[in-house]
Amino acid sequence: MARSSRLTALDSLRGFGILLVVLGHASRSASLVSWIFSFHMPLFFIISGMLFHERQFLDSFKKKVTRLLIPYLFFGIVTFVYWALIERRFRVGGSGSVTNALTNIFLARAGTSNYPQNAVLWFLPCLFVTEMLFLGTFTLVKSKRTIRHDWAVAATLATVSFLSIMVMHSFGLPIDRLRLPWALDILPFSMLFYCIGYLLSRFLMPCMQKSSRRHRCILSMLSSVWQDLTCCGYSMS
């Protein structure tokens, strides 16, 4: 698939994901919300992994600060001011702590109670940490020539992330209540799906140039794998 066609397809996926975010936070249907939350945020991490390009770490850091952290601070502060002065006065059943919401703009802990003004803001700092950690590990391993193939770096990170998730579940850690700064509690999940996106871009995107029959087979296989991944029902919102 040509690069322009691939980007168009990914833009369509992102648009679909944004609609799901809005629907998930606006819907009153518990079953629909549960279904949407099972995959809509992982979808964004997968798309981000598909778009990964190896760059010098410092240049990428500056670029990601501009594209992720500055918009995060802007929308975090603007929505906080609106929420603190206007919206929270009309909410039923309490509105959360103003002090906590303000400090959390800089602590970036996920969770509705920490972001009463805008519950999805956690995604931007979490994506920033995920991409910087992936690039840093990728660059370090390649410079040391510890792993020969690029895809093996992503596969190793995905394996470590998956094992971390299994360990947390095995010990019964309160993953949905233990909120760490900069969404570090979500990092194993975000890194896993980011690596999956990178691996998909390396191995499956070229296959999409083949016949439509093979395309459908690949999509069917991905659908089966996706259902297995979302069986745990972990919600990252």
Side-chain angles (χ1 to χ4, degrees):
M1 181 180 288
R3 179 173 175 80
S4 59
S5 300
R6 188 179 81 168
L7 292 179
T8 299
L10 293 180
D11 284 340
S12 299
L13 272 178
R14 277 189 288 198
F16 176 66
I18 291 172
L19 289 176
L20 289 178
V21 170
V22 175
L23 181 60
H25 285 277
S27 175
R28 295 185 178 181
S29 171
S31 58
L32 177 61
V33 171
S34 178
W35 177 75
I36 292 175
F37 278 19
S38 70
F39 71 89
H40 75 310
M41 296 313 295
L43 177 64
F44 286 111
F45 288 111
I46 288 177
I47 293 173
S48 299
M50 285 181 167
L51 295 173
F52 171 80
H53 294 289
E54 185 179 2
R55 299 183 180 91
Q56 186 180 14
F57 185 85
L58 186 57
D59 290 341
S60 182
F61 181 87
K62 294 177 180 178
K63 186 175 183 180
K64 296 302 179 182
V65 166
T66 301
R67 291 190 173 186
L68 295 175
L69 296 189
I70 292 179
Y72 164 77
L73 287 174
F74 174 78
F75 286 107
I77 293 172
V78 169
T79 55
F80 168 78
V81 171
Y82 168 77
W83 168 80
L85 297 180
I86 301 175
E87 182 181 347
R88 74 186 184 93
R89 303 179 185 278
F90 298 96
R91 287 193 179 183
V92 179
S95 58
S97 167
V98 174
T99 303
N100 181 64
L102 177 60
T103 56
N104 196 62
I105 294 176
F106 306 98
L107 292 177
R109 296 164 300 175
T112 305
S113 61
N114 293 318
Y115 283 114
Q117 76 274 31
N118 194 338
V120 299
L121 279 173
W122 65 267
F123 174 77
L124 294 178
C126 184
L127 179 60
F128 175 81
V129 172
T130 302
E131 291 194 318
M132 289 296 96
L133 181 58
F134 183 87
L135 176 60
T137 304
F138 194 88
T139 304
L140 179 62
V141 171
K142 286 193 67 176
S143 65
K144 300 293 184 180
R145 297 184 179 180
T146 307
I147 300 178
R148 176 178 298 182
H149 301 289
D150 293 353
W151 62 265
V153 179
T156 302
L157 274 175
T159 302
V160 171
S161 299
F162 179 77
L163 292 177
S164 300
I165 295 170
M166 292 299 100
V167 169
M168 288 189 290
H169 277 286
S170 298
F171 284 96
L173 297 179
I175 304 173
D176 58 337
R177 298 191 301 273
L178 181 63
R179 296 303 187 182
L180 300 178
W182 286 77
L184 291 177
D185 52 299
I186 299 176
L187 184 59
F189 298 89
S190 62
M191 183 61 72
L192 173 61
F193 289 110
Y194 191 90
C195 292
I196 289 174
Y198 175 81
L199 293 172
L200 287 175
S201 70
R202 288 294 305 272
F203 291 104
L204 291 184
M205 283 301 182
C207 296
M208 295 177 72
Q209 300 178 21
K210 306 296 182 180
S211 65
S212 59
R213 171 180 285 184
R214 177 167 293 186
H215 191 160
R216 288 194 296 270
C217 289
I218 291 172
L219 291 178
S220 177
M221 179 180 66
L222 285 177
S223 177
S224 298
V225 173
W226 184 258
Q227 290 178 6
D228 292 337
L229 284 173
T230 56
C231 277
C232 62
Y234 177 78
S235 172
M236 292 194 293
S237 292

